[in-house]
Amino acid sequence: RSSDLNTRLRKLDENNEFSAIILAAAGLRRMGWENRIGQVLNPEDCMYAVGQGALAVEVRAKDQEILNMVSALHDPETVLRCIAERAFMRQLEGGCSVPVAVNSAVKDGQLYLSGAVYSLDGSDSLKETMQTGVDFKLQQDEDGPEDDIQHVGITAKNVPRAALAAAEALGVALANLLLNQGAKQILTVARQLNDSR
């Protein structure tokens, strides 16, 4: 909302406590305030929370009529990215109270997922990237009337099942890689510190 942006930018301009503010570039562009963008943070600089920026429509389970209607809204790449990110978070047993970040992209039939876990003070971290192929064709009989194939809570019609399964497997594999490197200990300490506050 423009009022939120106005308030934040006014605080930046009028208050000498801050020298910068991090905002969504899309919002500033939408308002015509591109000149206020000093730097765009790249994923290497600032990863994001699982599912950040993705929009979803929640429907009743097995409501095929509504699922068919909303399937026209699916962006297959976003669906695959969200499934991989959510699978990563679920496998880590993460949530709002632990510092877990991701970055994902689909390029040339490959789904790339970077994931990281951090200690609360940022002194300890683990970060890795993995990829998998997701360039599958939709099979003729994939979306039957009784199908309720969910991947980490996402039902996606008109996206190949093999691609959905590959995205979920990627998230699980990346989480397991970090767990094998010590992510569980980092997240356990973060949870304990958050719970004590």
Side-chain angles (χ1 to χ4, degrees):
R1 294 186 346 211
S2 67
S3 61
D4 293 337
L5 284 174
N6 278 327
T7 300
R8 291 180 179 143
L9 290 170
R10 186 173 55 254
K11 285 181 181 180
L12 175 65
D13 294 339
E14 295 173 358
N15 193 333
N16 290 331
E17 288 182 57
F18 312 105
S19 55
I21 187 170
I22 296 176
L23 299 168
L28 292 168
R29 286 186 186 109
R30 190 171 42 253
M31 298 304 298
W33 299 336
E34 293 90 351
N35 64 322
R36 297 301 304 255
I37 299 172
Q39 178 181 357
V40 174
L41 299 177
N42 296 314
E44 297 80 32
D45 303 320
C46 185
M47 296 172 77
Y48 53 85
V50 168
Q52 185 79 37
L55 299 178
V57 177
E58 187 172 344
V59 301
R60 291 182 302 275
K62 298 189 179 190
D63 188 334
Q64 294 299 317
E65 182 180 352
I66 299 299
L67 283 170
N68 288 333
M69 284 181 8
V70 299
S71 69
L73 303 174
H74 283 162
D75 174 67
E77 288 186 7
T78 301
V79 168
L80 295 173
R81 292 173 62 188
C82 285
I83 287 172
E85 293 174 12
R86 289 171 57 106
F88 174 75
M89 177 72 88
R90 183 183 65 191
Q91 190 70 11
L92 288 174
E93 298 177 5
C96 303
S97 65
V98 293
V100 173
V102 294
N103 180 54
S104 61
V106 177
K107 184 176 181 185
D108 299 326
Q110 295 288 309
L111 173 58
Y112 297 86
L113 178 63
S114 296
V117 298
Y118 301 92
S119 60
L120 289 185
D121 66 1
S123 63
D124 201 6
S125 66
L126 294 169
K127 179 181 174 188
E128 292 288 347
T129 300
M130 295 179 79
Q131 71 188 67
T132 191
V134 291
D135 191 17
F136 298 99
K137 302 297 178 217
L138 191 64
Q139 300 301 313
Q140 203 69 7
D141 59 351
E142 283 201 49
D143 290 328
E146 297 304 314
D147 286 347
D148 187 27
I149 307 297
Q150 285 198 356
H151 296 273
V152 290
I154 297 173
T155 301
K157 298 176 95 48
N158 303 324
V159 179
R161 285 185 190 164
L164 299 171
E168 185 170 3
L170 176 63
V172 170
L174 183 59
N176 285 337
L177 177 62
L178 291 180
L179 288 168
N180 289 336
Q181 295 176 1
K184 186 171 184 72
Q185 178 62 26
I186 293 171
L187 295 176
T188 298
V189 170
R191 276 191 199 92
Q192 290 170 344
L193 289 171
N194 271 331
D195 290 347
S196 68
R197 291 181 178 175

